[in-house]
Amino acid sequence: MNAGGTKQYDGWTTVALLLTGGYLFMVVWPLITVLFSSVTDEAGFSLDGFSTFFSSRLYYGTLLNSLVVTVCVTVLAFVIAFPLAYFMTMFQVRGNRIIQILILASMMSPPFIGAYSWILLLGNNGLITRWLQSTLGLESPSIYGFAGIVLVLTLQLVPLIFTYLMGAWRTIDVALLEAAESMGITGWRRAAKVIMPLLLPTVLGGSLLVFVRAFADFGTPMLIGQGFRTIPVLIYSSFVGEVSIDRSFASAVAVIVIAVTLAVFLIQKYIVDRRTFSMTAMRPIEPKRLTGWRGLLIHGYVYGFLVLALAPLIVVVVSSFRNTLYGQFVDGFSFRNYITAQRDIFRYIGNTFSIGITALVLLVMVAVLVSYLTVRRKNALTGLLDTMTMIPYVVPGLVIGIALITAYSQPPLVLTGSFAIMVLALAIRRLPYTVRSTTALMYQFSPSIEEAAVSLGASKTRTLIQIVVPALAPGILAGAVLSWVTIITELSTTLFLYNTSTQTLALGIYAQVIRGQLGTAAALSTILLVLTMLSLLLLMRMSGGNREVRI
């Protein structure tokens, strides 16, 4: 300290300033340009975009549609996930560990792959549709519209709440359950009156993520929505419409989406802050053996959900080997889909790895620096930086994509379609989650070890590079693998930003489905699923099977 008792300016302050300036320029400024675009037109200041949206049922109805879908998906996901986590924790379910891995794996594929696979099952020419018509003479329920969107998103997002609940269950002491049982409260009454209040912060946290993902999902309603339009589809069609483009209107709708997600986030945060408490399981719950009809019902519930969750993925893999004619499936199996699309496959895989790995390296470097600054160098500047990194947490990926193309599609900095903007978009999208997980690791690392290194003559920078990072490397790498999975499956953030030279596997799959090339789409989806599974196996191996996964 100096004579005035204030902290001296040092190199870490420079790092904090550079990170804050970079974040303001790369994230905050693009979002400000969207806000500016929403209240201006060629003549100057204008609120016509908002006026148009709220004056037409065709437009504001998409917001109502999205809210109805999102609420239904969030409620259904919890209703399904809570019993699933309860059974998996309280009872000995056969194959428990494998089931958890498979449930997690089912969540890692993009939602639009789930939509596409259900088209293969229940579409107009789907497997189940044709079987019911030819064998039983029955007409299958349609996968298109509101019901189909809710089905696909619910199956996709149940594992998200399930993962949060499984982590929270491990903090409950069995003494609480025994105390409730001694008072005559058992079974579902105990789950509702004792366990549920304890898990409420976790449930709200998981539900917020489900809400944001369902509300902002573009691929699913685009593929199977048909006449049921949601707000992400409206934004997309307004921004890159075939008939007309109204970017001012699209920006206004994007601002409305941000307002909705921000309001939900603040409400969730307010409730959680009022009910925050800590638990430590001195005696973790010991699963009980299942016998009789109860065992059959519980196993039936767990395995039944697993079949529904994995069925779309299995269908995609099998369909990738079916013969096609003009993009449509015909009888017979072969490797034709892979062979005919091998040029595109190599290009998509090359782009996925080059863009994804570059984004991942950038992401990890920034996350480590931000975490170190916010934990070890606490001040107003690092507090601001920590708060800003949470912005993409509540801003949907589609809106981030619009913000980047609005800010960087004109001189002096034109990045649209470039490698750089794809890397930037993917890194921004995952940054809040990686920073939070790295910050949690940094809090667990004792400052005394760093102080010992400094006392022996090492600089703080050298201590971070040679002591802190290697000590936290297993956790950082495990988080990086999980970030990699979400990076390679990302669609909505990069939907406006790519060109043919920067098209990734996820974007390639979406393009092939839109073109009606179902066989090629299935082949590309299978490759993406294989990459996802291999990444998850690596994550499990690195974490020793004990790491709680936070999405």
Side-chain angles (χ1 to χ4, degrees), residues 363-373 438 442 464 469 476:
L363 182 63
V364 171
M365 290 175 59
V366 172
V368 169
L369 289 174
V370 171
S371 300
Y372 184 80
L373 288 168
T438 309
M442 200 72 70
L464 173 64
V469 172
I476 293 174

Side-chain angles (χ1 to χ4, degrees), residues 126-432:
L127 294 173
I128 296 177
T129 302
R130 287 190 289 111
W131 182 82
L132 288 175
Q133 289 176 345
S134 61
T135 306
L136 303 177
L138 298 176
E139 186 173 333
S140 66
S142 175
I143 194 61
Y144 301 101
F146 170 78
I149 296 172
V150 171
L151 171 67
V152 171
L153 290 178
T154 299
L155 291 177
Q156 179 76 21
L157 296 174
V158 163
L160 189 57
I161 294 186
F162 169 79
T163 303
Y164 271 72
L165 289 173
M166 289 298 291
W169 274 102
R170 298 188 183 102
T171 66
I172 295 179
D173 197 310
V174 72
L176 293 172
L177 306 183
E178 293 173 348
E181 190 172 356
S182 69
M183 300 176 67
I185 302 176
T186 59
W188 283 105
R189 289 181 61 210
R190 182 174 61 183
K193 293 186 176 182
V194 178
I195 298 172
M196 183 60 195
L198 295 174
L199 299 183
L200 184 60
T202 299
V203 170
L204 290 175
S207 297
L208 173 65
L209 278 181
V210 170
F211 184 96
V212 172
R213 289 197 180 188
F215 185 71
D217 183 71
F218 164 77
T220 301
M222 187 68 179
L223 291 179
I224 62 175
Q226 288 193 348
F228 191 88
R229 298 221 312 171
T230 60
I231 205 162
V233 176
L234 174 63
I235 294 175
Y236 179 80
S237 60
S238 300
F239 206 81
V240 293
E242 296 180 0
V243 178
S244 62
I245 297 176
D246 189 345
R247 294 194 172 183
S248 177
F249 176 72
S251 297
V253 180
V255 169
I256 294 170
V257 169
I258 295 175
V260 172
T261 54
L262 180 61
V264 172
F265 172 75
L266 293 175
I267 293 171
Q268 180 263 354
K269 189 175 186 301
Y270 173 77
I271 296 173
V272 170
D273 288 345
R274 290 173 61 90
R275 299 185 63 92
T276 298
F277 50 84
S278 60
M279 294 185 294
T280 302
M282 302 299 292
R283 293 171 54 205
I285 297 172
E286 290 291 335
K288 299 178 181 178
R289 292 196 61 180
L290 290 166
T291 57
W293 63 270
R294 292 181 64 204
L296 291 175
L297 289 177
I298 289 173
H299 277 91
Y301 185 87
V302 173
Y303 292 149
F305 172 77
L306 189 62
V307 168
L308 281 175
L310 294 179
L313 308 185
I314 295 172
V315 168
V316 166
V317 174
V318 173
S319 298
S320 71
F321 298 100
R322 293 177 63 191
N323 290 330
T324 57
L325 181 64
Y326 302 113
Q328 303 303 305
F329 294 115
V330 295
D331 293 336
F333 293 86
S334 68
F335 289 93
R336 187 180 303 167
N337 294 321
Y338 294 91
I339 295 172
T340 56
Q342 60 181 325
R343 181 178 299 178
D344 287 335
I345 288 174
F346 286 124
R347 175 166 58 89
Y348 294 149
I349 292 177
N351 289 337
T352 298
F353 274 88
S354 60
I355 294 171
I357 291 175
T358 306
L360 186 63
V361 171
L362 175 64
L363 182 63
V364 171
M365 290 175 59
V366 172
V368 169
L369 289 174
V370 171
S371 300
Y372 184 80
L373 288 168
T374 55
V375 174
R376 297 289 190 258
R377 314 285 294 182
K378 290 184 177 180
N379 55 49
L381 179 61
T382 59
L384 173 64
L385 179 61
D386 185 47
T387 301
M388 286 196 304
T389 59
M390 288 300 293
I391 291 175
Y393 184 80
V394 295
V395 177
L398 199 68
V399 176
I400 292 176
I402 287 178
L404 290 174
I405 197 174
T406 302
Y408 302 123
S409 61
Q410 53 191 355
L413 191 58
V414 180
L415 296 177
T416 305
S418 67
F419 182 91
I421 201 168
M422 293 287 288
V423 169
L424 181 62
L426 293 173
I428 290 172
R429 188 75 177 106
R430 189 61 196 176
L431 186 62

Side-chain angles (χ1 to χ4, degrees), residues 20 22-34 388 391 403:
T20 302
Y23 204 83
L24 286 170
F25 182 67
M26 295 296 183
V27 181
V28 177
W29 166 245
L31 291 173
I32 291 176
T33 62
V34 171
M388 286 196 304
I391 291 175

Side-chain angles (χ1 to χ4, degrees), residues 533-549:
M533 296 299 179
L534 291 175
S535 301
L536 288 175
L537 289 175
L538 178 61
L539 174 63
M540 297 300 174
R541 185 176 181 83
M542 292 172 58
S543 63
N546 295 319
R547 179 178 171 82
E548 292 179 21
V549 179

Side-chain angles (χ1 to χ4, degrees), residues 88 95-105 162 166 170:
M88 297 284 286
N96 190 302
R97 184 60 188 160
I98 296 176
I99 291 171
Q100 290 187 51
I101 294 174
L102 291 176
I103 289 176
L104 177 62
F162 169 79
M166 289 298 291
R170 298 188 183 102

